[in-house]
């Protein structure tokens, strides 16, 4: 089967960005890339360590995936790399299946992401309800913060479990190993980041020169430098990257292919699917944020293909899952980036740091990285949404809270599945409640129409969508059929699905058994197409008329001579046509 040309389109945004590219834009992109590269360094290491991996895994991911996402992406300014949203999933995969299985799962997620983009599914990701997105984002933030208590408090825990209750029980069991020096470094680092990120900008009007120069440096780098100096000069008994991991090698890893077999791939499909869905959501949400800042519009399908390419290649070179990152993308935009060149420069800056300054990374204290992740987790969560729950309907509240608690207590995959099911059921209920049926008294509905006995001829007007959640409307008509003619006005029915068409056929058969003529009128395009495909209009005893006036004329003509055409009952509803 030949794929349509539209599916085979592969147009990275860099092709369009190079039109009219000049020296001034290049300088801005290089400056932005340098800034983002410095910002990405501590985050990449922290995300990898929190995921149960070595710090160089995060840096390699930021280099390779960051370069590929910038080169092939559908957004001009998005920065790709390891993200906090993956920590919980990656940690679980590493704990249960091992690092080789993580490589396979990440590569599988890359294939899934590429296929999602290839078959134009980028826009479908936007259909995931905001309650589900907020619920699992806040849940992940809580788990990230909980997982960092080990290094934040300096607890000597050999291996922290991935599940919520396992974390709590292990943290409690090892509380006696609390290290006050580690806590002091953690708190000092966290306060440094908070002051640098939030209070320093407030000094701008009073010290514009100082403010302008200092705010270029991210708070995480300042905390990293000060924390390393404090631990080294004071010789504090605190774990560092060097003491736990032996430092970071000053070279990129070679290509490594893990052992592949069907049994492993089968067990890893669900984790890979979770990585793919989460990566798609994160990257496209990040791209939408970037669009609002630069007044551009990204290509969601191209972005998914770029994410897929990066996630397929990166794990074979010592990397972990990658996606679009909001904090680094915002930094990139605020630093003046105008094209994907900035993202590529950010990756090259990280490469240069690895090749030149890798030995210095051994001095970085782990409590400082835990403080960085605590700050990231707090900024990651949409905590105000909990306070605003009162202003939303009960289904929204239940969906958000269910996804949040299931993410924290059980598993992200289960949480998203339950959230999507709950959101679908809520949507079905709301749409079905908007669909309704109204009996009409034709003399009031159509001026000039004669009167008749309602027991001989009855008219119903349906509104909304006639789908599987609203078939009860047809069942109610079937329970109140007249003696001779039933008219159903469908001019306000905007959608008819197969279940609705099947129920209409049941109505037609019920009318045929009782020798009642069923007249359908005002059927618009989509319901008419479904009725024809279901052969509803070919059913004996079913007639179609263009509008209600024609249907009334046809129905009155079908009444037998002995029918009592007296006044309609006074209790019948009489809405306007």
């Amino acid at each position: 089967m030949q794929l349509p040309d539209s599916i085979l389109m592969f147009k990275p945004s860099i092709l369009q960005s190079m039109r009219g590219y000049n020296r001034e834009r290049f300088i801005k992109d290089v400056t932005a890339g340098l800034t983002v590269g410095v910002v990405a360094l501590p985050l990449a290491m922290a995300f990898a360590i929190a995921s149960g991996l070595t710090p160089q895994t995060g840096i390699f991911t930021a280099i390779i995936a960051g370069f590929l996402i910038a080169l092939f992406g559908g957004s001009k300014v998005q920065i790709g790399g390891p993200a906090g949203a993956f920590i919980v999933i990656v940690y679980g995969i590493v704990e249960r299946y091992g690092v080789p299985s993580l490589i396979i799962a990440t590569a599988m997620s890359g294939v899934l992401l590429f296929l999602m983009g290839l078959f134009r599914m980028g826009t479908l990701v936007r259909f995931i309800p905001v309650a589900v997105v907020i619920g699992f984002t806040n849940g992940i933030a809580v788990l990230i913060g909980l997982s960092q208590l080990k290094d934040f408090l300096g607890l000597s825990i050999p291996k922290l479990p991935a599940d919520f209750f396992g974390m709590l029980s292990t943290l409690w069991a090892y509380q006696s190993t609390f290290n006050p020096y580690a806590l002091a470094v953690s708190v000092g680092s966290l306060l440094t980041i908070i002051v640098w990120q939030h209070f320093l900008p407030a000094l701008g009007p009073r010290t514009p020169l100082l403010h302008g120069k200092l705010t270029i440096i991210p708070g995480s780098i300042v905390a990293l430098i000060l924390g390393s100096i404090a631990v080294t000069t004071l010789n504090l008994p605190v774990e560092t990257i060097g003491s736990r991991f032996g430092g970071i090698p000053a070279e990129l890893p070679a290509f490594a292919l893990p052992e592949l077999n069907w049994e492993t791939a089968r067990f890893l499909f669900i984790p890979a699917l979770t990585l793919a869905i989460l990566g798609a959501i994160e990257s496209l949400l990040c791209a939408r944020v970037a669009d609002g800042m630069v007044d551009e519009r990204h290509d969601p399908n191209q972005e998914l293909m770029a994410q897929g390419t990066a996630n397929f290649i990166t794990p074979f070179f010592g990397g972990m899952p990658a996606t679009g990152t909001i904090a680094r993308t915002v930094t990139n935009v605020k630093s003046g980036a105008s094209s994907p060149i900035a993202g590529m420069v950010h990756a090259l800056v990280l490469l240069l740091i690895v090749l030149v300054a890798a030995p210095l990374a051994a001095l970085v204290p782990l409590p400082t990285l835990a403080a960085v992740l605590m700050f990231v987790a707090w900024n990651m969560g949409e905590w105000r949404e909990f306070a605003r729950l009162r202003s939303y309907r009960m289904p929204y509240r239940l969906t958000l809270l269910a996804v949040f608690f299931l993410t924290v207590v059980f598993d992200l995959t289960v949480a998203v599945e339950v959230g999507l099911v709950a959101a679908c059921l809520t949507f079905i209920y709301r749409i079905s409640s908007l669909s309704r049926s109204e009996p009409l008294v034709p003399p009031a509905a159509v001026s000039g129409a004669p009167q008749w006995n309602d027991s001989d001829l009855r008219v119903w007007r349906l509104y909304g969508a006639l789908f599987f959640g609203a078939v009860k409307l047809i069942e109610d008509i079937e329970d109140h059929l007249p003696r001779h003619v039933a008219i159903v006005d469908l001019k306000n029915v905007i959608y008819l699905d197969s279940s609705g068409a099947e129920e209409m056929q049941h109505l037609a058969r019920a009318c045929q058994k009782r020798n009642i003529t069923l007249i359908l009128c005002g059927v618009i395009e989509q319901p008419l197409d479904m009725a024809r495909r279901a052969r509803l209009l070919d059913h004996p005893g079913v007639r179609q008329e263009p509008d209600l006036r024609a249907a009334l004329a046809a129905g009155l003509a079908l009444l037998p001579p002995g029918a009592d055409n007296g006044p309609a009952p006074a209790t019948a509803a009489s809405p306007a046509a």
Side-chain angles (χ1 to χ4, degrees), residues 365-418:
L366 294 182
T368 297
L369 290 181
V372 170
L373 278 185
M374 286 284 194
F375 185 76
V376 169
W378 176 257
N379 287 328
M380 178 181 177
E382 298 282 350
W383 311 113
R384 293 180 181 177
E385 291 299 319
F386 288 133
R388 295 173 54 193
L389 283 177
R390 296 181 183 178
S391 60
Y392 292 103
R393 294 178 179 270
M394 185 59 68
Y396 180 92
R397 300 180 201 173
L398 292 178
T399 301
L400 192 153
L401 293 175
V403 173
F404 171 74
F405 285 113
L406 288 172
T407 300
V408 173
V409 176
F410 291 100
D411 182 73
L412 178 64
T413 306
V414 175
V416 173
E417 290 173 353
V418 172

Side-chain angles (χ1 to χ4, degrees), residues 266-426:
R266 185 168 63 88
F267 281 110
L268 292 175
F269 178 76
I270 295 300
L273 181 62
T274 305
L275 289 173
I277 294 175
L278 186 58
I281 294 172
E282 287 287 313
S283 63
L284 297 185
L285 284 178
C286 178
R288 290 181 66 181
V289 171
D291 287 349
M293 297 182 67
V294 299
D295 196 22
E296 295 279 354
R297 180 174 296 178
H298 73 283
D299 182 347
N301 299 304
Q302 179 63 41
E303 186 62 35
L304 289 181
M305 287 190 280
Q307 300 286 340
T309 303
N311 279 283
F312 181 76
I313 295 175
T314 303
F316 298 116
F317 290 91
M320 59 186 287
T323 185
T325 56
I326 293 180
R328 277 158 276 177
T329 299
V330 171
T331 303
N332 189 41
V333 174
K334 289 184 177 181
S335 300
S338 63
S339 77
I341 296 297
M344 298 164 69
V345 170
H346 127 271
L348 296 177
V349 168
L350 286 172
L351 174 61
L352 184 63
I353 292 174
V354 168
L355 296 178
V356 175
L360 296 177
L363 304 176
V364 175
L366 294 182
T368 297
L369 290 181
V372 170
L373 278 185
M374 286 284 194
F375 185 76
V376 169
W378 176 257
N379 287 328
M380 178 181 177
E382 298 282 350
W383 311 113
R384 293 180 181 177
E385 291 299 319
F386 288 133
R388 295 173 54 193
L389 283 177
R390 296 181 183 178
S391 60
Y392 292 103
R393 294 178 179 270
M394 185 59 68
Y396 180 92
R397 300 180 201 173
L398 292 178
T399 301
L400 192 153
L401 293 175
V403 173
F404 171 74
F405 285 113
L406 288 172
T407 300
V408 173
V409 176
F410 291 100
D411 182 73
L412 178 64
T413 306
V414 175
V416 173
E417 290 173 353
V418 172
L420 289 177
V421 170
C424 289
L425 292 176
T426 300

Side-chain angles (χ1 to χ4, degrees), residues 517-566:
T517 300
L518 175 63
I519 301 178
L520 306 179
C521 64
V523 190
I524 61 176
E525 185 176 355
Q526 192 280 332
L528 180 60
D529 177 66
M530 177 58 72
R532 285 171 176 166
R533 283 189 284 154
R535 298 186 178 277
L536 173 62
L537 302 178
D538 297 334
H539 199 282
V542 175
R543 295 181 55 170
Q544 180 190 359
E545 297 293 343
D547 52 38
L548 181 56
R549 185 182 296 274
L552 284 171
L556 292 174
L558 291 171
L559 292 179
D564 180 13
N565 289 349

Side-chain angles (χ1 to χ4, degrees), residues 227-243:
S228 301
I229 292 174
V231 170
T232 303
T233 56
L234 299 177
N235 197 25
L236 299 178
V238 171
E239 270 198 297
T240 63
I241 289 179
S243 64

